[in-house]
């Protein structure tokens, strides 16, 4: 059975407000998923929501709802959010689903039987807001805890612990030998630095059910529920277990897939790319590999760590009122403009800064004047001068298009999305300059230049077609619109179609329609909530 190319995102806290940060991560993963599909791979793209924990239990109670009813409502919003972003997800996992819980319990039973867990007393200061015990390092110089931790109380509990200490040496070695494991390299170096300079403390992986009932019960001790992070990380393998992944099913000691009956089992694990934000690197680059190793499972090939978005130069916060609402931006400017801006503006790794001005300016310069103008004027001229009929093939821009295509493909394979958009932008600029240089509107006035006009029109129309193929992972509906205007059926969703000469002479194109209408007049604020 073939293994699918498996991509995952972090699973969002169901009770959070979907904002540009969540949207960015999901769009980046979607572009990678579409790119790999377009390159001919069988892909599985998973996203999801993280539903357990104290905050959910408390907020549900405050709203007079059961936690499950509360989560059901919110999960529906997150599902709609994924659709709004035009994500080509294959599944959306919820940590309250039986398929997840069954596999989490199987994993816990395995770890328990393998001697990876032990029980011990814990005494410490607990932040309810952060759902974590604080350490001495969290104290401020005056001995108090930062108000960002919310209410901090001293607790004594007996809990289950997951042994981490004994794993430190091999993990350091693994990171050293696999520089591709945590990307970009700066993040991998941070993780290595942390592991070399600190002794890992075993991880408390339970909460007494008396204090927190909204979690997955331990299969061997129902007085406890599973720590929300331990439960959440496992989603990346519980989903494969639901689809009958042979490696995962075997390692969890399951007898059958935990999901609904499936026609054909899928092999997904190990994940090829796991996309996460910089704040959750420790969970994914330290705890997660150790959990997998303890379960006898291979590690994911790559953890791709992105930076955080600020808005107008500041951390996004409700009180400042600068939270960028992606839904509002999409309703006003279209989903592809949003997908384009976040990917073009920020490379994967550093932090980014959303500005309304930056968004408007890229929209006009690169979408309206760039690809929009190129497609519009190429097809309008073909219509005006040749009734929309594609002339004889000519190869003047073929080499430039081939160069851009090869470079873009290499960049997509290397997860370099911003550079790929720069490459594609280069081809758009070249084609726009070609119009200015060859001046088809002048050629059209001189009957002696009819052949030259044919040549120019072929080069432009064919370049538009190739651009549709290259842009498809980034802006799928725009790419389809370009195809439709070219009179082609279906979606430009296969990279195979980048070979020059796809448009055959005599083919009739359709009417051009503006892809990204200019919106220069009224000063609107695209993202900021009023
Ligand atoms: N539920 C955990 C993840 C569990 S994964 C097994 C969680 N959820 S979250 O909703 O807080 O964050 C989800 C993702 O969104 C994380 O990867 C996080 O880094 C990302 N972002 C949240 N705010 C962000 C920005 N302002 N900018 C970019 N991404 C950010 O953590």
């Amino acid at each position: 059975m073939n293994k699918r190319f498996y991509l995952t995102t972090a699973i969002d806290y169901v009770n959070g407000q979907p904002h540009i940060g969540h949207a960015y991560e999901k769009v980046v993963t979607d572009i990678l998923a579409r790119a790999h599909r377009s390159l001919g791979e069988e892909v599985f793209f998973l996203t999801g929501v993280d539903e357990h924990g104290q905050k959910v239990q408390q907020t549900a109670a405050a709203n007079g709802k059961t936690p499950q009813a509360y989560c059901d409502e919110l999960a529906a919003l997150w599902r709609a959010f994924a659709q709004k972003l035009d994500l080509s997800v294959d599944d959306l996992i919820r940590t309250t689903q039986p398929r997840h819980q069954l596999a989490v319990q199987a994993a816990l039973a395995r770890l328990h039987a393998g001697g990876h867990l032990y029980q011990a007393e814990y005494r410490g200061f607990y932040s309810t807001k952060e759902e974590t015990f604080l350490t001495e390092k969290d104290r401020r110089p005056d001995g108090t805890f930062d108000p960002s931790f919310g209410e901090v109380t001293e607790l004594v509990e007996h809990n289950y612990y997951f042994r981490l200490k004994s794993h430190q040496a091999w993990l350091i070695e693994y990171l050293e030998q696999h520089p591709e494991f945590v990307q970009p390299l700066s993040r991998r170096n941070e993780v290595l630095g942390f592991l070399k300079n600190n002794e890992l403390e075993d991880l408390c992986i339970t909460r007494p059910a008396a204090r927190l009932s909204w979690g997955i019960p331990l299969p061997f001790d129902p007085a406890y529920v599973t720590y929300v992070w331990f439960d959440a990380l496992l989603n990346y393998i519980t989903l494969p277990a639901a689809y009958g992944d042979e490696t995962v099913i075997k390692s969890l000691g399951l007898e059958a897939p935990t999901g609904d009956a499936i026609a054909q089992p899928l092999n997904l694990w190990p994940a090829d790319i796991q996309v996460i934000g910089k704040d959750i690197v420790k969970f994914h680059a330290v705890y997660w590999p150790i959990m997998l190793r303890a379960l006898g499972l291979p590690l994911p090939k790559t953890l791709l760590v992105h930076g955080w978005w600020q808005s107008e130069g500041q951390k996004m916060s409700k009180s400042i009122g600068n939270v960028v609402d992606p839904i509002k931006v999409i309703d006003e400017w279209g989903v592809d403009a949003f997908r384009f801006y976040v990917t073009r503006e920020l490379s994967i790794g550093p932090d980014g800064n959303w500005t309304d001005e930056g968004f408007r300016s890229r929209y006009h310069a690169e979408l309206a004047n760039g690809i929009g103008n190129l497609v519009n004027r190429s097809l309008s001229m073909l219509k005006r001068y040749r009734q929309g009929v594609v002339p004889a093939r000519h190869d003047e821009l073929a080499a430039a298009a081939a160069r851009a295509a090869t470079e873009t493909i290499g960049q997509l394979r290397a997860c370099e999305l911003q550079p790929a958009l720069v490459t594609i932008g280069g081809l758009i600029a070249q084609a726009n300059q070609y119009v200015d240089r060859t001046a088809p509107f002048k050629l059209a006035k001189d009957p002696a230049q009819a052949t030259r006009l044919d040549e120019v029109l072929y080069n432009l129309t064919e370049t538009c077609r190739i651009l549709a193929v290259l842009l498809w992972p980034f802006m799928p509906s725009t790419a389809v619109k370009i195809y439709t205007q070219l009179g082609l059926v279906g979606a430009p969703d296969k990279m195979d179609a980048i070979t020059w000469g796809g448009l055959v002479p005599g083919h009739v194109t359709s009417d051009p329609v503006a892809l990204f209408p200019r919106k220069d007049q009224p000063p609107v604020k695209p993202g900021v909530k009023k």
Side-chain angles (χ1 to χ4, degrees):
M1 194 190 349
N2 280 345
K3 184 194 167 305
R4 296 252 183 133
F5 192 93
Y6 181 36
L7 300 107
T8 65
T9 69
I11 52 172
D12 299 318
Y13 287 126
V14 78
N15 53 331
Q17 178 74 28
H19 62 58
I20 183 198
H22 307 114
Y24 172 67
E25 179 177 279
K26 276 63 192 174
V27 165
V28 161
T29 318
D30 185 58
I31 294 169
L32 293 170
R34 287 178 188 268
H36 282 273
R37 282 196 203 102
S38 178
L39 287 164
E41 266 160 301
E42 282 204 288
V43 168
F44 196 98
F45 171 18
L46 174 69
T47 190
V49 276
D50 191 353
E51 303 192 359
H52 288 126
Q54 195 139 333
K55 270 176 274 178
V56 172
Q57 181 174 307
Q58 284 167 346
T59 323
N63 287 298
K65 291 179 181 153
T66 65
Q68 189 64 59
Y70 176 64
C71 287
D72 289 348
E73 280 170 24
L74 294 174
L77 293 180
W78 283 97
R79 206 178 277 280
F81 185 56
Q83 276 167 4
K84 191 91 190 170
L85 296 169
D86 205 1
L87 304 185
S88 58
V89 289
D90 293 288
D91 208 329
L92 187 150
I93 193 163
R94 298 181 52 191
T95 53
T96 51
Q97 287 167 335
R99 59 180 182 170
H100 173 71
Q101 308 214 12
L102 279 171
V104 168
Q105 290 189 324
L108 285 162
R110 272 275 140 144
L111 292 173
H112 190 50
H116 296 280
L117 309 181
Y118 65 93
Q119 223 181 350
E121 181 187 281
Y122 189 86
R123 179 184 291 274
F125 290 93
Y126 186 79
S127 153
T128 311
K129 181 155 172 265
E130 295 300 319
E131 281 172 21
T132 184
F133 278 99
L134 304 176
T135 67
E136 286 310 309
K137 284 192 205 135
D138 295 314
R139 286 192 194 273
R140 296 191 291 188
D142 68 358
T144 60
F145 291 106
D146 194 277
S148 64
F149 290 118
E151 193 190 339
V152 177
T153 40
E154 192 175 10
L155 285 184
V156 182
E157 286 181 352
H158 282 85
N159 271 307
Y160 284 85
Y161 285 79
F162 175 50
R163 295 182 203 281
L164 294 180
K165 284 193 187 102
S166 53
H167 292 276
Q168 194 149 354
W170 75 257
L171 187 54
I172 291 176
E173 202 181 313
Y174 188 87
L175 281 155
E176 275 172 341
Q177 284 172 3
H178 296 86
E180 76 294 347
F181 176 48
V182 181
Q183 292 181 30
L185 212 57
S186 54
R187 295 286 174 210
R188 172 253 194 186
N189 294 342
E190 269 170 36
V191 177
L192 262 177
F194 167 79
L195 284 170
K196 285 180 174 172
N197 294 311
N198 296 277
E199 200 193 346
L200 282 180
E201 285 176 29
D202 292 343
L203 183 69
C204 178
I205 60 148
T206 56
R207 302 290 179 260
R211 167 158 77 78
L212 173 67
S213 57
W214 190 234
I216 300 179
L218 290 195
F220 45 86
D221 191 344
Y224 292 90
V225 298
T226 315
Y227 169 43
V228 65
W229 260 104
F230 205 79
D231 149 10
L233 284 165
L234 286 167
N235 92 85
Y236 304 129
I237 57 166
T238 62
L239 189 286
Y243 282 82
D245 180 300
E246 288 161 346
T247 322
V248 175
I249 294 266
K250 208 166 133 220
S251 91
L252 298 187
L254 289 162
E255 272 158 27
T258 52
D260 295 337
I262 30 162
Q264 169 103 50
L266 296 183
N267 279 342
L268 302 174
W269 196 257
D272 293 273
I273 307 178
Q274 301 207 264
V275 183
I276 55 161
K278 64 173 186 177
D279 55 320
I280 55 176
V281 173
K282 189 172 162 191
F283 292 97
H284 285 82
V286 178
Y287 303 156
W288 180 225
I290 295 177
M291 288 162 70
L292 289 165
R293 170 92 162 205
L295 288 166
L297 280 167
L299 306 195
K301 293 202 184 104
T302 296
L303 295 174
L304 187 62
V305 185
H306 63 79
W308 266 41
W309 281 89
Q310 295 193 326
S311 157
E312 309 288 346
Q314 282 177 294
K315 190 171 184 237
M316 278 185 279
S317 95
K318 276 192 189 155
S319 54
I320 302 177
N322 65 344
V323 178
V324 181
D325 177 1
I327 297 179
K328 207 160 164 242
V329 179
I330 291 169
D331 285 344
E332 199 164 341
W333 298 80
V335 64
D336 281 356
F338 177 79
R339 291 170 61 109
F340 174 82
Y341 175 74
V342 289
T343 322
R344 177 64 187 80
E345 179 67 18
L346 183 60
S347 66
I348 299 171
D351 287 343
N353 182 29
W354 174 284
T355 62
D356 292 350
E357 192 39 50
F359 182 93
R360 293 176 64 80
S361 135
R362 275 202 196 281
Y363 177 92
H364 286 111
E366 294 173 50
L367 295 177
N369 285 359
I371 183 70
N373 189 28
L374 176 67
V375 173
N376 202 264
R377 55 186 181 159
S378 301
L379 290 181
S380 300
M381 290 190 290
L382 188 66
K383 187 105 199 154
R384 196 171 321 129
Y385 307 136
R386 296 289 181 265
Q387 292 74 50
V389 180
V390 174
R393 171 173 164 167
H394 188 264
D395 297 350
E396 202 167 353
L397 290 179
R403 256 196 317 276
T406 309
E407 208 174 319
T408 306
I409 290 174
Q411 288 162 328
L412 287 171
R413 287 198 194 281
C415 303
E416 292 169 358
L417 302 187
Q418 186 203 45
L421 277 181
V422 173
T423 306
I424 299 171
L427 181 60
I428 296 169
Q430 253 178 301
N432 268 326
Q433 285 155 13
Y434 179 76
V435 179
D436 300 338
R437 200 172 66 239
T438 56
F441 24 89
K442 285 189 194 152
L443 298 174
K445 290 187 188 137
D446 180 0
Q449 297 283 0
T451 309
R452 180 58 186 149
L453 179 59
D454 279 347
E455 291 171 3
V456 171
L457 291 175
Y458 186 89
N459 278 289
L460 286 173
T461 323
E462 178 63 358
T463 303
C464 290
R465 190 190 66 78
I466 287 171
L467 282 166
V469 179
L470 295 178
L471 283 171
W472 184 77
F474 298 90
M475 300 196 285
S477 40
T478 301
V480 170
K481 278 185 200 158
I482 299 174
Y483 245 40
T484 309
Q485 296 187 22
L486 285 167
L488 299 167
V489 230
D493 57 359
K494 292 280 166 286
M495 278 296 171
D496 288 352
I498 48 165
T499 317
W500 186 266
L503 278 176
V504 287
H507 170 82
V508 184
T509 57
S510 304
D511 289 339
V513 184
L515 294 169
F516 297 100
R518 296 192 68 90
K519 297 179 181 225
D520 299 59
Q521 273 77 39
V524 272
K525 293 223 141 213
V528 173
K529 272 189 174 170
K530 299 260 161 49

